[in-house]
Structures are given as structure tokens and as C-alpha cells.
Amino acid sequence: MPLTRREFAALTAGGILSSQWLVKPSAYAEAKATSPDSQPAETTRSVTLLHFTDTHAQLETHWDYLPGQLPAFQQMGGFARLKTAIDREIKASQGPVFVADGGDEFQGSGPAAWSRGEVILDPLNALGADVFVPGNWEPVYGPARFRELMSRLKAQVTCFNFHEKSTGHRIFPPASIIEKDGCRIAFVGLTDLKASDRHSPDEFAGLDTSRLNGLSEFLNDLKSKERVTLIVGLFHTGLTVARYLAREFPKFDIILSGHTHERTTQSIIEGKTIIVESAGMGSFLGRLDVELNAGNEIVAHRFRLIEVSAANTPENPVVKQLVDENLKPYRERANTVVGRTVTPIMRYDVLETSADDFITDALRDETNVDIAFSNGFRFGLPIPAGNITVGDLWNLLPMDARIKVGWVTGRQLKDYLENELELVYSPDPKRLSGGWGPRASGMMMRYSMRAGQGKRVQEVHVGGKILDETERYTVASCERSGEPLDVICRIRGVHDVTFAPQTIHQALITYFQKHPVISPSREGRAYADDLAPVVFSQDSILSEGQRGSYQAWGM
């Protein structure tokens, strides 16, 4: 039968799980585990869904982190290998195969930023996805460029909740109905509901992602009027929010989740809905096989999270050529060595990362402030010990911006931290938004995740001294285009704001000129009394606070 949260947490705490079949009767009242070789008693047909998401413009094979494996750093992904993996799974399938792209493909690297997404288009189209949902980062180059890029995709673009703010008109079809071999699937796209509120104002000017009005009625019509075989949610909302939406809108048969980069190794069942999330960066491909009876009810399913490893996944030569042609104008710039690291630089932890420690240290060094902040980004490839290139820096921070400097009171600082923690750790999925927790240099934060809204911050030290709510503290972070002058890293009401002479990437290069060899490591700048020292999954701490949860990090 489907694993409970507690049972699954116990299994995943030890490492990566092998997949298994989960059999569900038509009423979904209970399910029985069976082997992949067993056959349902009645005549059934097979349908396969292949799912990739959140590649973040990583066109080429790259390092990724696989805790619990030896070696922990391995060469993974790249669009040419991802294409091979897709083709291999299609060939091995018994029935129709649908390929779904979960979004966040046009942002995440230097060449993507320098070309405003142009380098991604041809290789992405070559992967052959049937359907695409825009991620929260797709509008990063502005609304006009966003619409242009979406119009040039070969996949059908779908999103129920991308609207024009002024008129309320939907920008894309709310669903894409695709039929293969008599199987008629409705893919309903949803993107991060708070993206238009949390991103830089200029990126989402005139766009709104917050509206879900009419979704229940729409799903009912898909079944009754369109007579689809399955309703599949192609979500870019994050795993915890996807699970909540499955409970709120139980008409979804399947949800393919993206946005939080969770490495689910086994399906999650919410009511009757099957939910999976297929990690990110092109390092993994999700495969969900379902068995349908004569009444189009799912009677069995199997999920596999497939590693797109350089060791066993050769490159597709056609896609490889497309990638090389598109990256050629940018290789010299991207391959320029700027420094060296003795320790690996990584961004995976929900609480603190060596990547953000390095970035904020460089920012504070440039600006001489008390505290330097960075956004709690999820994306970014690991940099093993060795040389650091310009391309590496843009993989960690795939945008450039002016640096803002100002001051806030200790009270403002505490209120900001409480608000950000609520958006990351709220037990109410409707409140979740943004990336992981606040990251900073010059500040130590201790908190309790389960203390509740407005009560999580237990202790803050600035410059080694306990925070004084009446004291003034200078702060610095990157400008977000279109925001008011007195907003720095979402801290509102910052006083005496000015701009530093350098951009953030210029500050990183200057830092390496002063410190040619660095060795960043997690220092306990942010930690929670009621969480494990290292936390790689948001969902694991929001699902009854259990270590491990529905992901494969081997914590």
C-alpha cells in the first residue's frame, strides 16, 4: 500500500530508494504493493509520462552532487545526454509516451543571460517535449521577451494562472489536450502563484500569476465535456504546494511537480492523485508508467528517477552540435579563470550554503557594511575544488545588478527575517513563496522552524554582538529592477539608500583580485534548533518535520 509520511521518511533517511510498483484499485480506497513483473487481473493498457524540469539553462554536462554515492561529485546532464535518455525511455515503452517540460529553462547560466535566452531555444526544441509550462524565471528578460520566447517553442505552452494584470485575460491556453494511440491526456499548467509578487517588478510588469478562479469547474469540464483519459497537472509550484493543490483539487489524476528541485525517488499519493518531482539541472529524468483499465482508471503505476549520468548516457550528436553552435560566441568569456577554491562551493542547503557565504562575503568586502544579503536561490551548480571561471560565477548568480547600500534598525531587520522565514517554513502551503531562507555575511541567525509566524527568530548576532532593535545597521544587496529605491533584498523602508560603484559580478571579480584562493564552508550563520544541521528539502521539514521525507538526498 502507499507509504505513509512516517514510513517514507524512515526509508529515505538512509539514502536513495529504488522505485517500486504501487497498485491502486479504481476506488483508491487502498493500494497493494506488487512487483514490476506482476500483471493486473483485468485487461489494461500502459501509458508513459517522461518529465524533466528546472534545467536552468545548463546546456552542457556539468558537475552535480549525489550525497551517499561515491564519488559524491559526478558529471551529469547536458541537453545532448538528456535527449539520449528521453529517446532511450521512449524506445523501451510499451504504449504511448508523453514528454512534459516543467519550466525554468531559459535562466541559470551566463550564456543564457548574455543572449537573453536565445542560446536555449534550439537545443530545448530539439528535446522534443510535447507540452511546456512556464516557470517563475521564464519572464526574467522582461514581459515582451518572455512572450517571444514562448511563441517560438515547438511544445504546446500551457498555463492556467498566467494572466494579464489589467484585463485578466489568460496569456496561454489553460490546458493542452494531446492524444496519442487513443489516449487523450489533458495537461493543465500551473506556475508559482506568487511569482508575479516576489520577482523583480520589471520582470513581471503587467503579468499576474495569482489567480486560480474557476479551476474546479474547468477540471470538471475536462472530464465531462472533453472526455479526456487523464488529467495531468504540469506544475511549477513546488512539491509542498503541489501536494496541497492535489488535496484542494482532487480531479487531478497525476501531478508532475517542479520549481523546488526535489529529487523524489518514489511517488507521493495525496487522495487519489499521484505526485512526483523530477529534480533539476537536467541531471535527472522522471519516468512515470501508469496502467489503465477499460474505464480509464489507474490500476497500477511505477515511478523511476533516472540519473542522466555522463558515465552511462552518451551525447546525442544532433543536440550536441546545436549546443556547441549556440555556445560558441560565449565560450571564451565563460571559460576565463578568475580564482581558485580549496573547498567545494555548493548551493543545496535550505538553511546556509557555502555559495551564498562566498557571495555575501565578497559583497560585504566591497561595501564595508555590517550585513550583506543574497536571495535564497535554489539553482546553481556545485564548483569542486580547483579553478573558478566566469561561467561558474554566472551559474551561481545568473544575473548582474547594481549594489544598493543603506541602513535599517534592528527592529526592521528582525521583522524582515520573520517575514522571510514564514514564506519558506509556513505550515500553510498558501503562504509559501520564494526560495530558501535568507543568507547573509556579518550576521548569525538562530531560529525555531516550528515556533510559528512571528516567533521563529530566537537569536541574531551582528558583528559578534546580540542584535539591538534600536541600533542602526548598514546593509547591502543587489538591486532588483523596478523596485522602489528604499527596498533592498525585500527589506522595505531602508534609509539613506545609495548605489555602490560596482555591480555584483564586478564585486566578485574584485574579491578574487584580493583573495585569489578561497575556501568557503558552512559556518553556522543560519541554523534551527529543531532541524537537522543540514537540510536539503523544504518538503521534508514541512511534512510533519520528518527528516528525509519524499526526496533522495540521503540526509
Side-chain angles (χ1 to χ4, degrees), residues 211-230:
R211 309 179 197 192
L212 280 183
N213 298 345
L215 180 56
S216 290
E217 295 79 7
F218 179 74
L219 297 177
N220 287 334
D221 286 346
L222 286 176
K223 281 287 189 181
S224 62
K225 297 180 181 179
E226 297 293 339
R227 301 191 179 280
V228 297
T229 308
L230 294 170

Side-chain angles (χ1 to χ4, degrees), residues 276-331:
V276 299
E277 187 161 320
S278 303
M281 316 309 286
S283 299
F284 298 87
L285 174 68
R287 173 172 178 154
L288 179 64
D289 294 286
V290 297
E291 295 285 328
L292 303 176
N293 65 15
N296 289 329
E297 297 168 314
I298 300 175
V299 294
H301 76 272
R302 182 192 190 195
F303 177 69
R304 288 191 295 131
L305 186 64
I306 301 164
E307 294 180 1
V308 183
S309 169
N312 56 33
T313 313
E315 293 182 306
N316 177 285
V318 175
V319 178
K320 171 65 173 172
Q321 183 177 354
L322 285 174
V323 169
D324 286 341
E325 290 173 352
N326 279 275
L327 291 182
K328 184 178 179 179
Y330 308 102
R331 287 201 186 280

Side-chain angles (χ1 to χ4, degrees), residues 376-437:
F377 293 133
R378 279 182 287 268
F379 52 76
L381 297 173
I383 305 172
N387 288 337
I388 301 173
T389 66
V390 169
D392 291 328
L393 296 182
W394 279 81
N395 284 338
L396 290 179
L397 201 61
M399 67 282 291
D400 201 5
R402 295 185 297 178
I403 299 170
K404 282 183 170 182
V405 179
W407 65 266
V408 295
T409 66
R411 182 67 212 181
Q412 283 179 286
L413 186 61
K414 186 176 180 181
D415 289 344
Y416 158 75
L417 295 176
E418 289 285 7
N419 181 67
E420 292 296 302
L421 293 174
E422 173 67 8
L423 296 176
V424 178
Y425 303 121
S426 174
D428 180 359
K430 296 189 295 297
R431 293 190 57 80
L432 298 178
S433 178
W436 299 153

Side-chain angles (χ1 to χ4, degrees), residues 47-369:
V47 178
T48 298
L49 300 176
L50 299 180
H51 177 231
F52 63 91
T53 185
D54 295 279
T55 68
H56 282 288
Q58 297 306 319
L59 292 176
E60 295 191 288
T61 301
H62 51 261
W63 292 107
D64 214 325
Y65 180 50
L66 300 174
Q69 295 194 28
L70 292 175
F73 290 101
Q74 297 185 26
Q75 287 281 289
M76 305 280 287
F79 278 33
R81 299 189 197 279
L82 183 56
K83 175 61 173 174
T84 297
I86 292 169
D87 289 346
R88 188 162 53 194
E89 296 306 316
I90 291 175
K91 186 176 180 180
S93 298
Q94 302 300 312
V97 180
F98 300 81
V99 183
D101 183 342
D104 268 9
E105 313 297 16
F106 288 88
Q107 177 266 10
S109 74
W114 305 332
S115 69
R116 300 178 70 237
E118 190 67 31
V119 297
I120 308 302
L121 265 171
D122 289 343
L124 186 62
N125 279 330
L127 294 181
D130 296 303
V131 62
F132 176 95
V133 63
N136 59 295
W137 282 105
E138 252 68 67
V140 66
Y141 311 116
R145 181 62 170 165
F146 167 54
R147 291 173 187 258
E148 180 192 352
L149 291 172
M150 296 300 97
S151 71
R152 294 167 63 189
L153 285 176
K154 292 182 179 179
Q156 297 184 32
V157 181
T158 175
C159 192
F160 186 90
N161 66 313
F162 242 119
H163 295 85
E164 293 179 348
K165 185 176 292 185
S166 60
T167 65
H169 292 161
R170 192 173 279 114
I171 298 172
F172 307 105
S176 291
I177 299 176
I178 302 173
E179 184 169 351
K180 296 185 181 183
D181 297 342
C183 182
R184 186 173 164 85
I185 295 184
F187 290 91
V188 180
L190 285 180
T191 199
D192 179 11
L193 299 169
K194 294 191 176 181
S196 54
D197 178 59
R198 290 283 288 178
H199 273 256
S200 300
D202 284 353
E203 294 174 10
F204 277 79
L207 304 178
D208 177 31
T209 61
S210 66
R211 309 179 197 192
L212 280 183
N213 298 345
L215 180 56
S216 290
E217 295 79 7
F218 179 74
L219 297 177
N220 287 334
D221 286 346
L222 286 176
K223 281 287 189 181
S224 62
K225 297 180 181 179
E226 297 293 339
R227 301 191 179 280
V228 297
T229 308
L230 294 170
I231 299 178
V232 176
L234 185 56
F235 285 9
H236 194 93
T237 61
L239 185 57
T240 302
V241 175
R243 294 174 58 194
Y244 158 74
L245 292 170
R247 297 189 295 270
E248 291 292 302
F249 303 97
K251 289 292 183 181
F252 285 105
D253 299 295
I254 296 165
I255 292 176
L256 305 176
S257 176
H259 183 47
T260 39
H261 304 190
E262 298 274 11
R263 299 177 183 178
T264 61
T265 55
Q266 197 163 339
S267 59
I268 302 161
I269 310 298
E270 290 285 0
K272 72 175 184 66
T273 306
I274 303 166
I275 307 171
V276 299
E277 187 161 320
S278 303
M281 316 309 286
S283 299
F284 298 87
L285 174 68
R287 173 172 178 154
L288 179 64
D289 294 286
V290 297
E291 295 285 328
L292 303 176
N293 65 15
N296 289 329
E297 297 168 314
I298 300 175
V299 294
H301 76 272
R302 182 192 190 195
F303 177 69
R304 288 191 295 131
L305 186 64
I306 301 164
E307 294 180 1
V308 183
S309 169
N312 56 33
T313 313
E315 293 182 306
N316 177 285
V318 175
V319 178
K320 171 65 173 172
Q321 183 177 354
L322 285 174
V323 169
D324 286 341
E325 290 173 352
N326 279 275
L327 291 182
K328 184 178 179 179
Y330 308 102
R331 287 201 186 280
E332 183 177 357
R333 179 180 180 184
N335 292 337
T336 302
V337 175
V338 294
R340 187 171 179 83
T341 180
V342 175
T343 56
I345 300 176
M346 298 195 294
R347 181 186 281 138
Y348 291 97
D349 197 341
V350 175
L351 304 175
E352 178 191 359
T353 75
S354 58
D356 289 288
D357 285 357
F358 150 60
I359 291 170
T360 55
D361 282 351
L363 182 55
R364 191 160 67 99
D365 187 78
E366 167 64 19
T367 57
N368 263 333
V369 295

Side-chain angles (χ1 to χ4, degrees), residues 39-50:
Q39 297 295 325
E42 57 186 309
T43 301
T44 64
R45 55 175 172 158
S46 300
V47 178
T48 298
L49 300 176
L50 299 180

